[in-house]
Amino acid sequence: MFIGDIVGQPGRTAVTQYLPQVLEEYNPDLTIANAENAANGRGLTPKLAEMLFDANVDILTMGNHVWDNKDIFGYIEDEKRIVRPANFPKGAPGQGFTLVRAGNVQIAVVNLLGRVFMGDYDSPFVAIDQILEEIGDASRHIFVDFHAEATSEKLAFAHYVDGRVSAVIGTHTHVQTADEQILLHGTAYLTDVGMCGPVNSIIGMKTEQVIQRFLTQMPIRFEVENGPAMLNAVCIDLSDTGKAVSIERIHLK
Amino acid sequence: MFIGDIVGQPGRTAVTQYLPQVLEEYNPDLTIANAENAANGRGLTPKLAEMLFDANVDILTMGNHVWDNKDIFGYIEDEKRIVRPANFPKGAPGQGFTLVRAGNVQIAVVNLLGRVFMGDYDSPFVAIDQILEEIGDASRHIFVDFHAEATSEKLAFAHYVDGRVSAVIGTHTHVQTADEQILLHGTAYLTDVGMCGPVNSIIGMKTEQVIQRFLTQMPIRFEVENGPAMLNAVCIDLSDTGKAVSIERIHLK
Amino acid sequence: MFIGDIVGQPGRTAVTQYLPQVLEEYNPDLTIANAENAANGRGLTPKLAEMLFDANVDILTMGNHVWDNKDIFGYIEDEKRIVRPANFPKGAPGQGFTLVRAGNVQIAVVNLLGRVFMGDYDSPFVAIDQILEEIGDASRHIFVDFHAEATSEKLAFAHYVDGRVSAVIGTHTHVQTADEQILLHGTAYLTDVGMCGPVNSIIGMKTEQVIQRFLTQMPIRFEVENGPAMLNAVCIDLSDTGKAVSIERIHLK
Amino acid sequence: MFIGDIVGQPGRTAVTQYLPQVLEEYNPDLTIANAENAANGRGLTPKLAEMLFDANVDILTMGNHVWDNKDIFGYIEDEKRIVRPANFPKGAPGQGFTLVRAGNVQIAVVNLLGRVFMGDYDSPFVAIDQILEEIGDASRHIFVDFHAEATSEKLAFAHYVDGRVSAVIGTHTHVQTADEQILLHGTAYLTDVGMCGPVNSIIGMKTEQVIQRFLTQMPIRFEVENGPAMLNAVCIDLSDTGKAVSIERIHLK
Ligand SMILES: [Fe+2]
Ligand SMILES: [Fe+2]
Ligand SMILES: [Fe+2]
Ligand SMILES: [Fe+2]
Ligand SMILES: [Fe+2]
Ligand SMILES: [Fe+2]
Ligand SMILES: [Fe+2]
Ligand SMILES: [Fe+2]
């Protein structure tokens, strides 16, 4: 089970509101969520991380907003349940993947950033090769949250690792795509899982503020929108060998 | 009925293969398709345009690749069934919107480009205001193909014109999104309709070539992939007043 | 006389320290300075603007950082000696050009932003045509601060207006270029005049902080560097008809 | 002696026309030139490389246009006098630095690409550390052609390697900057050396074509401009220990 970018208070509300029924229905061995926008749309705090762990999320992944909230710097070093993008330059705080017991297997959870329209990170293609070598025999069940903008980079990455990881699920655009599939060599794929956040908003932010920025080109600061929230997630079933058996999109509001 | 970016030979095949059954099932008053990638992935030729009109597509929209094939320059000036992005600087060949009779109403078909991660076009927000003023009372049924990359810009544009146009459907990413909805004031919206093209490809292009470009950062030229094709489209129902009544995604392969 | 981007305290110090001798040596009819970075590297305040006017700067131009300091919003509406980029969307506070008496002529001072690697502003090419029409016979002496990144856009703009304005001087890169020239039809041109700010710095900012951001890709906040300051400027001589007679770079430290 | 981006026929003419007198005046131990635009503005051919070697250029460096002309692929593998950017992903043809005998010392010539506004290359900061380790004691005289757009990245890179290399000279913008200096720890620096190419042009290309692209936003193909040419270069004097003693800009037309 993987839950898309949790955006601010409404995103957290969506998790507490909808996750119990989702967990009951799907009964997943492991629940992962992207938390790069959990704190007011920008980054994550230790307190909010604990809140999400208490809500039965097992592992948190991040994205380009990982360092927006400075409170996370020390915490992320010690907390093995948080994974930040692996392709930051060497020396960044925290870890790029983690191994976790789920059901009767070890699952590796990896977080990577795309570069197209994003930033000057290390190559996610080189990084995944290194990570897979590092994981070696420790796990055959490998989940990748690929946090990226361009559909071309997301699809290229997924085909590059097809058969070598269990799932590549995209995040960052905050809009769920409808292209869930199992690639030719057994990797589950979805271009973007979508966000957890306010339904009537622009990718989680106040509609009026975002429109004003487009109209004026002035540096208007965005705030998280209020109102009813939605949860976007994806449920993936894996075989004992780590191949994907099924992938199903979840959208609740 | 709106059909997403038709990519090369497989995209055209998808149209000829699946469109007849779609038209029979939905019986739309008007069929529009984005043809910016119809000619080998780059632009459109007069011959291919005629082929698509013969396949019962009524109107063709374009995108950032509109000028990739030079054969279109003269043709687009005279052919009122082709609409190129309206927010090119004044003086560009062709037209940014067209009025067409469909059922018993006049429908305006508009094509606009986003700017985020795209190019230095005129503001699509300013352009739509001018176009709506120009259309005036000539039509209450207004369809917009908003060809853009960023989900934020697509959503912001849709909310900006909500209630003033009948539908805003995104193109360009070539991946269908799952967020079809009717906005608060009656505008049908989908972030991206997805492409018509080869199923096993990277947004229509050969998987190996795209991966190689990401791996090597060398200027590898992309060719359209072969193999089985899919059609992505969306069907929108409008009331007499031009408000959207329903929106349904179509995905055939 | 045109003085490049004044960066923070060291930039202001450079002005107070070097400007008196420059004014004495060159005795210009008009002294213009770019002040987009005057307030801690980000924007301008009314108080700092007054300080610069007191230091015998006649007109202040701005750039992409114009709105960074909110204190300027109201002030810029009333203060006719401050010019912000003219190619912001209609409705932005302030003015895109101003007319000022200098010697026995009216000089028009224009500020424009480039778009390449910059932002989604209106076209500076379209904007200058409109401004020149608006100016009409009111002035034949027209100075343009073209605030842009790409050398191609700066040169293209200058050639586009060659013979129609008196001078196009670039700002924004903070590094003075050595290509001062009078173009074929009489417009004085320099790709970038350079900044006024700390000598040992990275475009005005603390060397260690900027290097750390490149090394870590983390969102380190930059502060203005301390230490000895330099002044970069350019002196242009115009004929009665508004053609450039000479252009000379100034670099003091 | 380092000569900036040689652009097409006029650039090659500038070299044959002005280099003899420059070599006579300065009598350098080593002459390096950037040749990424030598073949019609796009890449380099073996024949043109030989022509430049015959004109007494010892070493050729490249840039982002290195792969534009396919004829270079095999040649660059064997020709140790051509250096392509070192921070392409592993496996790229050719070499990122070379060692050459000059006077009585070994000089290392390095070529690196910036990433800001450029492309998704490997980090030039990481790359230079690896290269310096690889060079080890083989040379204390190290010249870097840093091919980049942003002044911030060029200055940051130079300060990062200050005292560890002999010179960092920028290329790519095609406009010579006026900030030649020796940094605090002995590295000679110039943000951009400028190009060798047609005087009346936009960074080497036909003025009318570049202006038309900015005006129309259509994909107009650029051709190298004709007419009188200029040479931009820089002469650096090094001590026995590899520290810079002097740096002088050269501009001939
Ligand atoms: Fe996010
Ligand atoms: Fe993100
Ligand atoms: Fe397309
Ligand atoms: Fe497109
Ligand atoms: Fe500045
Ligand atoms: Fe600036
Ligand atoms: Fe170049
Ligand atoms: Fe270049």
Side-chain angles (χ1 to χ4, degrees):
Chain A
M1 174 70 50
F2 179 55
I3 299 165
D5 308 42
I6 299 167
V7 181
Q9 173 63 51
R12 279 133 43 198
T13 301
V15 170
T16 50
Q17 188 176 342
Y18 295 116
L19 191 56
Q21 68 184 83
V22 170
L23 293 181
E24 192 170 323
E25 185 177 343
Y26 290 91
N27 194 24
D29 290 324
L30 187 70
T31 302
I32 308 164
N34 184 299
E36 71 146 2
N37 307 114
N40 286 318
R42 298 182 189 82
L44 176 66
T45 63
K47 198 177 140 192
L48 293 175
E50 297 293 342
M51 196 221 91
L52 291 167
F53 291 137
D54 289 345
N56 289 316
V57 176
D58 300 310
I59 302 284
L60 295 174
T61 55
M62 301 296 287
N64 55 314
H65 289 288
V66 56
W67 313 120
D68 284 8
N69 193 304
K70 306 288 176 261
D71 300 346
I72 208 66
F73 277 61
Y75 183 73
I76 212 174
E77 275 291 61
D78 300 319
E79 179 50 79
K80 294 304 170 200
R81 291 174 295 176
I82 303 184
V83 187
R84 51 93 184 143
N87 53 334
F88 272 101
K90 273 189 222 325
Q95 57 190 337
F97 73 95
T98 196
L99 287 168
V100 58
R101 193 89 211 156
N104 54 354
V105 298
Q106 286 283 104
I107 298 191
V109 178
V110 183
N111 190 197
L112 283 164
L113 279 165
R115 298 195 289 186
V116 178
F117 310 135
M118 296 288 288
D120 293 334
Y121 311 112
D122 293 347
S123 167
F125 294 82
V126 172
I128 192 66
D129 286 344
Q130 292 170 342
I131 288 169
L132 292 180
E133 204 181 319
E134 217 175 312
I135 291 174
D137 295 331
S139 168
R140 286 187 300 182
H141 297 76
I142 298 161
F143 174 87
V144 182
D145 169 0
F146 191 57
H147 194 83
E149 171 74 29
T151 50
S152 60
E153 192 176 20
K154 282 164 150 172
L155 276 158
F157 180 85
H159 281 279
Y160 180 64
V161 297
D162 182 18
R164 299 193 288 151
V165 311
S166 305
V168 173
I169 306 298
T171 49
H172 179 64
T173 73
H174 290 204
V175 173
Q176 192 175 77
T177 58
D179 63 336
E180 70 276 16
Q181 60 195 279
I182 296 173
L183 300 177
L184 295 175
H185 303 292
T187 296
Y189 175 72
L190 178 64
T191 294
D192 209 292
V193 64
M195 72 164 175
C196 298
V199 173
N200 293 308
S201 71
I202 294 177
I203 63 169
M205 298 298 164
K206 282 187 192 290
T207 301
E208 270 318 300
Q209 291 174 345
V210 181
I211 288 176
Q212 280 308 306
R213 202 198 275 184
F214 278 110
L215 292 180
T216 64
Q217 298 296 328
M218 286 162 74
I220 292 156
R221 197 172 166 83
F222 299 155
E223 296 164 302
V224 173
E225 182 64 270
N226 305 310
M230 61 181 165
L231 177 137
N232 279 304
V234 66
C235 182
I236 302 152
D237 222 40
L238 301 181
S239 73
D240 287 351
T241 62
K243 300 279 176 190
V245 174
S246 70
I247 174 169
E248 186 184 342
R249 286 187 288 114
I250 297 167
H251 172 68
L252 291 172
K253 70 178 172 187
Chain B
M1 174 70 51
F2 179 55
I3 299 165
D5 306 42
I6 299 167
V7 181
Q9 174 63 52
R12 279 134 40 200
T13 301
V15 170
T16 50
Q17 188 175 341
Y18 295 114
L19 190 57
Q21 69 184 83
V22 170
L23 294 182
E24 194 171 321
E25 185 178 343
Y26 290 91
N27 194 24
D29 290 323
L30 187 69
T31 302
I32 308 164
N34 184 299
E36 71 145 3
N37 308 113
N40 287 316
R42 296 181 190 83
L44 176 68
T45 64
K47 198 177 139 192
L48 293 175
E50 297 293 343
M51 196 221 91
L52 291 167
F53 292 137
D54 289 346
N56 290 316
V57 176
D58 300 310
I59 302 284
L60 296 174
T61 55
M62 301 297 288
N64 55 315
H65 289 287
V66 57
W67 313 120
D68 284 7
N69 193 303
K70 306 288 176 262
D71 299 347
I72 208 66
F73 278 61
Y75 182 74
I76 212 174
E77 274 291 61
D78 300 320
E79 179 51 80
K80 294 303 171 203
R81 291 175 294 177
I82 303 184
V83 187
R84 51 90 183 147
N87 52 335
F88 273 101
K90 272 191 222 322
Q95 57 190 335
F97 73 96
T98 197
L99 286 169
V100 57
R101 192 91 212 153
N104 55 354
V105 297
Q106 286 282 104
I107 298 191
V109 178
V110 184
N111 191 195
L112 283 165
L113 280 164
R115 298 195 288 186
V116 178
F117 310 136
M118 297 288 288
D120 293 334
Y121 311 112
D122 293 347
S123 167
F125 294 81
V126 172
I128 193 66
D129 285 344
Q130 292 170 340
I131 288 169
L132 292 180
E133 203 181 320
E134 216 175 312
I135 291 174
D137 294 331
S139 168
R140 288 186 299 182
H141 297 74
I142 298 161
F143 173 88
V144 182
D145 170 359
F146 191 57
H147 195 82
E149 171 73 29
T151 50
S152 60
E153 193 177 19
K154 283 164 150 172
L155 277 158
F157 180 85
H159 282 279
Y160 180 64
V161 296
D162 182 18
R164 299 193 288 152
V165 311
S166 306
V168 173
I169 306 297
T171 50
H172 180 64
T173 73
H174 291 204
V175 173
Q176 192 175 78
T177 57
D179 62 335
E180 71 276 14
Q181 60 195 280
I182 296 173
L183 300 177
L184 295 175
H185 303 291
T187 297
Y189 175 72
L190 178 64
T191 294
D192 209 292
V193 63
M195 72 165 176
C196 297
V199 173
N200 293 306
S201 71
I202 293 176
I203 61 170
M205 299 297 163
K206 283 185 190 292
T207 301
E208 270 319 301
Q209 292 174 345
V210 181
I211 288 176
Q212 280 308 305
R213 201 198 275 183
F214 278 110
L215 292 180
T216 65
Q217 298 296 327
M218 288 163 73
I220 292 156
R221 197 172 165 83
F222 299 155
E223 296 164 303
V224 172
E225 183 63 271
N226 305 308
M230 61 181 166
L231 177 137
N232 280 305
V234 66
C235 183
I236 302 152
D237 223 41
L238 301 181
S239 73
D240 287 351
T241 61
K243 300 280 175 189
V245 174
S246 70
I247 174 168
E248 186 184 342
R249 285 188 290 114
I250 297 167
H251 172 68
L252 292 171
K253 68 178 174 187
Chain C
M1 174 70 51
F2 179 53
I3 299 166
D5 307 41
I6 299 166
V7 181
Q9 174 63 50
R12 279 132 45 198
T13 301
V15 170
T16 48
Q17 188 176 342
Y18 295 115
L19 191 57
Q21 69 184 82
V22 169
L23 294 182
E24 192 172 324
E25 185 178 344
Y26 290 91
N27 193 24
D29 289 324
L30 186 70
T31 302
I32 308 164
N34 185 298
E36 71 146 1
N37 307 114
N40 286 318
R42 297 181 190 82
L44 176 67
T45 63
K47 198 177 140 194
L48 293 174
E50 298 293 341
M51 196 220 91
L52 291 167
F53 291 137
D54 289 346
N56 289 316
V57 176
D58 299 309
I59 302 284
L60 296 175
T61 56
M62 300 297 287
N64 55 315
H65 288 288
V66 57
W67 313 120
D68 284 7
N69 193 304
K70 307 290 176 260
D71 300 347
I72 208 67
F73 277 61
Y75 183 73
I76 211 174
E77 275 291 59
D78 300 319
E79 178 52 77
K80 294 304 170 202
R81 290 174 296 176
I82 303 184
V83 187
R84 52 91 183 144
N87 53 335
F88 273 101
K90 273 190 222 323
Q95 57 190 335
F97 74 95
T98 197
L99 286 168
V100 57
R101 192 92 211 153
N104 54 354
V105 298
Q106 285 282 104
I107 298 191
V109 178
V110 183
N111 190 197
L112 282 164
L113 279 165
R115 298 195 288 186
V116 178
F117 310 135
M118 296 288 287
D120 294 334
Y121 311 111
D122 293 347
S123 167
F125 295 82
V126 172
I128 192 67
D129 285 345
Q130 292 169 341
I131 288 169
L132 292 179
E133 204 182 318
E134 215 175 313
I135 292 174
D137 295 332
S139 169
R140 287 186 298 182
H141 297 74
I142 298 162
F143 174 88
V144 182
D145 169 359
F146 191 56
H147 194 83
E149 172 73 30
T151 50
S152 60
E153 193 176 20
K154 283 164 151 173
L155 276 158
F157 180 85
H159 282 279
Y160 180 64
V161 296
D162 182 18
R164 299 193 287 151
V165 310
S166 305
V168 173
I169 307 297
T171 50
H172 179 65
T173 73
H174 290 203
V175 173
Q176 192 175 77
T177 58
D179 63 335
E180 70 277 15
Q181 59 195 280
I182 296 173
L183 299 177
L184 295 174
H185 303 291
T187 296
Y189 175 71
L190 178 64
T191 294
D192 210 291
V193 63
M195 71 165 177
C196 298
V199 173
N200 292 307
S201 71
I202 294 177
I203 60 169
M205 297 299 163
K206 283 186 191 289
T207 301
E208 270 318 300
Q209 292 174 345
V210 181
I211 288 176
Q212 280 307 306
R213 201 198 275 184
F214 278 110
L215 293 180
T216 65
Q217 299 295 329
M218 286 163 74
I220 292 155
R221 197 171 166 83
F222 299 155
E223 296 164 303
V224 173
E225 183 63 272
N226 305 309
M230 62 181 165
L231 178 138
N232 279 304
V234 65
C235 183
I236 302 153
D237 223 40
L238 301 181
S239 73
D240 287 351
T241 62
K243 301 280 176 190
V245 173
S246 70
I247 174 169
E248 185 184 344
R249 285 188 289 113
I250 298 166
H251 173 68
L252 293 171
K253 70 177 173 186
Chain D
M1 174 70 51
F2 179 55
I3 299 165
D5 306 42
I6 299 167
V7 181
Q9 174 63 50
R12 278 132 44 199
T13 301
V15 170
T16 49
Q17 188 176 342
Y18 296 114
L19 191 57
Q21 68 185 83
V22 169
L23 293 182
E24 193 171 322
E25 185 179 344
Y26 291 91
N27 194 25
D29 289 323
L30 186 70
T31 302
I32 308 165
N34 185 297
E36 71 145 4
N37 307 114
N40 286 317
R42 298 182 190 82
L44 176 67
T45 63
K47 198 176 141 193
L48 293 175
E50 297 293 342
M51 195 221 92
L52 291 167
F53 292 138
D54 289 346
N56 289 315
V57 176
D58 300 309
I59 302 284
L60 295 175
T61 55
M62 301 296 287
N64 55 315
H65 288 288
V66 56
W67 313 120
D68 284 7
N69 192 304
K70 305 289 176 261
D71 300 347
I72 208 67
F73 277 61
Y75 183 74
I76 212 174
E77 274 291 61
D78 300 319
E79 178 51 78
K80 296 303 170 202
R81 291 174 294 177
I82 302 183
V83 187
R84 51 92 184 144
N87 53 334
F88 273 101
K90 273 191 221 322
Q95 57 191 335
F97 73 95
T98 197
L99 287 168
V100 57
R101 192 92 212 153
N104 55 354
V105 297
Q106 286 284 103
I107 297 191
V109 178
V110 183
N111 191 197
L112 282 165
L113 279 164
R115 297 195 289 187
V116 178
F117 311 135
M118 296 289 288
D120 293 334
Y121 311 111
D122 293 346
S123 167
F125 294 82
V126 172
I128 192 65
D129 286 344
Q130 292 170 341
I131 288 168
L132 292 180
E133 203 181 319
E134 217 176 311
I135 291 174
D137 294 331
S139 168
R140 288 186 298 183
H141 297 75
I142 297 162
F143 174 87
V144 182
D145 169 0
F146 191 57
H147 195 82
E149 172 72 29
T151 50
S152 60
E153 193 176 19
K154 283 164 151 173
L155 276 158
F157 180 85
H159 281 279
Y160 180 63
V161 296
D162 182 18
R164 298 193 288 152
V165 310
S166 305
V168 173
I169 306 297
T171 51
H172 179 65
T173 72
H174 290 202
V175 173
Q176 192 174 78
T177 57
D179 62 336
E180 71 275 15
Q181 59 195 280
I182 296 174
L183 300 178
L184 295 175
H185 302 290
T187 296
Y189 175 72
L190 178 64
T191 292
D192 210 291
V193 62
M195 71 165 177
C196 298
V199 173
N200 292 307
S201 71
I202 294 176
I203 61 169
M205 297 298 163
K206 282 186 191 291
T207 301
E208 269 318 301
Q209 292 174 344
V210 181
I211 288 176
Q212 280 307 306
R213 201 198 276 184
F214 278 109
L215 292 180
T216 65
Q217 297 296 329
M218 287 163 74
I220 292 156
R221 198 173 165 83
F222 299 154
E223 297 164 302
V224 173
E225 182 63 272
N226 306 308
M230 61 180 166
L231 178 138
N232 279 305
V234 66
C235 184
I236 302 152
D237 224 39
L238 300 181
S239 73
D240 287 350
T241 63
K243 300 280 176 190
V245 174
S246 69
I247 175 169
E248 185 183 342
R249 286 187 290 112
I250 298 168
H251 172 68
L252 293 171
K253 69 178 174 185

